[in-house]
Amino acid sequence: MLLCIDCGNTNTVFSIWDGERFLCTLRTSTHHGRTADAYFTWFSTLIAHYRIDPNITDVIISSTVPRVVWNLRVFSDRFFGVRPIVVGKPECKLPHPPRVDVGTGVGPDRLANAAGAFNRHGGDCVVVDFGTATNFDVVAEDGAYVGGVIAPGVNLSLEALHQGAAALPHVDISQPERVIGTNTVACIQSGVFWGYVGLIQGITDRIKAEYGKPMKVIGTGGLAPLFAQGELLFDTIEDDLTMHGLTVIHAYNKENG
């Protein structure tokens, strides 16, 4: 079985792939000081809770936080006897290498999104990924990542607003009943929600115009369903797109290793 690990700035996600489906998906906060032993204690406890007895034979890691990769490598080697594939490292082959400016590093999550989107939907698409940042990943006709946009994430914007304005409370994001808020919380929710709807629409429209060909827009990340409510922002939503992309990259490396 394959263990896929996607480490973002806020959360780290572990998914077990049996070759046909994900058996389970586990989520923990990202912490660069977490040791390999701590990862295993957390992982094994939850696996026992779900009554899964996986035989992990392969591990692939995508991490936007370089400081955690070492402990994830140790975790993989110590407890499964597996040398992990790390997306973005020279030894990790990509089905469709990115085409960006020379010397530019591309986030491993964006490479995984491109691989997953192309595998499921073909090229000429935009992946809108809601995480700590809101990323727009442009996937060309041949499956290559060819650039994108990085905007502040929704929760990051809410936190910055709360910290920067002492009189404004911290609120949870939701779709307000009306655009015009009649209290402080409703005003903030409206500004953030409809502000991001406008951001998504505006950026994807500009990407399509610049790209010059019809494009499919794919939403992923925890907040994608929220922003799809009543709005034609996405052609489809893929909750597991990044993880699926990791299985695609892993299969390509096994076939071409």
Side-chain angles (χ1 to χ4, degrees), residues 97-176:
R99 293 194 295 275
V100 293
D101 293 344
V102 175
T104 299
V106 179
D109 54 336
R110 309 184 87 164
L111 297 174
N113 284 344
F118 183 73
N119 180 262
R120 283 181 171 170
H121 303 285
D124 295 334
C125 60
V126 184
V127 178
V128 184
D129 189 354
F130 294 87
T132 305
T134 299
N135 291 334
F136 298 73
D137 304 323
V138 180
V139 184
E141 181 180 10
D142 62 354
Y145 170 86
V146 292
V149 176
I150 300 175
V154 177
N155 289 321
L156 188 64
S157 296
L158 281 169
E159 188 64 29
L161 187 63
H162 172 62
Q163 291 183 357
L168 297 182
H170 187 280
V171 302
D172 293 325
I173 183 63
S174 64
Q175 181 175 358

Side-chain angles (χ1 to χ4, degrees), residues 4-256:
C4 300
I5 304 175
D6 177 37
C7 177
N9 290 292
T10 303
N11 292 316
T12 300
V13 181
F14 292 63
S15 291
I16 299 173
W17 173 255
D18 70 356
E20 296 182 355
R21 64 188 180 95
F22 288 110
L23 299 181
C24 69
T25 295
L26 313 174
R27 186 180 300 268
T28 186
S29 60
T30 298
H31 191 313
H32 71 268
R34 184 172 285 126
T35 65
D37 292 347
Y39 277 117
F40 184 72
T41 300
W42 167 82
F43 179 80
S44 58
T45 300
L46 284 179
I47 290 301
H49 172 77
Y50 286 110
R51 298 181 180 178
I52 296 173
D53 185 20
N55 177 25
I56 302 298
T57 58
D58 295 271
V59 178
I60 185 167
I61 299 170
S62 164
S63 177
T64 59
V65 187
R67 295 177 68 185
V68 306
V69 173
W70 167 254
N71 281 318
L72 289 173
R73 282 181 179 271
V74 174
F75 163 76
S76 174
D77 180 65
R78 179 179 296 168
F79 297 106
F80 305 118
V82 173
R83 179 183 176 88
I85 295 172
V86 181
V87 179
K89 297 296 183 182
E91 61 271 19
C92 177
K93 300 179 177 67
L94 297 172
H96 309 280
R99 293 194 295 275
V100 293
D101 293 344
V102 175
T104 299
V106 179
D109 54 336
R110 309 184 87 164
L111 297 174
N113 284 344
F118 183 73
N119 180 262
R120 283 181 171 170
H121 303 285
D124 295 334
C125 60
V126 184
V127 178
V128 184
D129 189 354
F130 294 87
T132 305
T134 299
N135 291 334
F136 298 73
D137 304 323
V138 180
V139 184
E141 181 180 10
D142 62 354
Y145 170 86
V146 292
V149 176
I150 300 175
V154 177
N155 289 321
L156 188 64
S157 296
L158 281 169
E159 188 64 29
L161 187 63
H162 172 62
Q163 291 183 357
L168 297 182
H170 187 280
V171 302
D172 293 325
I173 183 63
S174 64
Q175 181 175 358
E177 294 182 3
R178 305 176 62 212
V179 175
I180 301 173
T182 54
N183 59 69
T184 303
V185 170
C187 289
I188 295 173
Q189 288 178 332
S190 183
V192 173
F193 181 86
W194 294 114
Y196 270 87
V197 167
L199 180 145
I200 296 162
Q201 288 178 327
I203 290 180
T204 54
D205 285 349
R206 287 178 179 271
I207 287 173
K208 291 177 181 179
E210 188 172 294
Y211 194 75
K213 292 194 292 183
M215 304 181 79
K216 180 176 285 188
V217 181
I218 304 166
T220 192
L223 291 177
L226 171 64
F227 285 97
Q229 294 180 9
E231 297 294 322
L232 299 177
L233 297 178
F234 311 115
D235 294 295
T236 186
I237 293 176
E238 304 277 358
D239 292 337
D240 63 347
L241 185 67
T242 307
M243 287 302 190
H244 178 68
L246 290 179
T247 70
V248 172
I249 294 173
H250 173 265
Y252 184 79
N253 279 266
K254 296 296 283 187
E255 294 169 3
N256 297 274

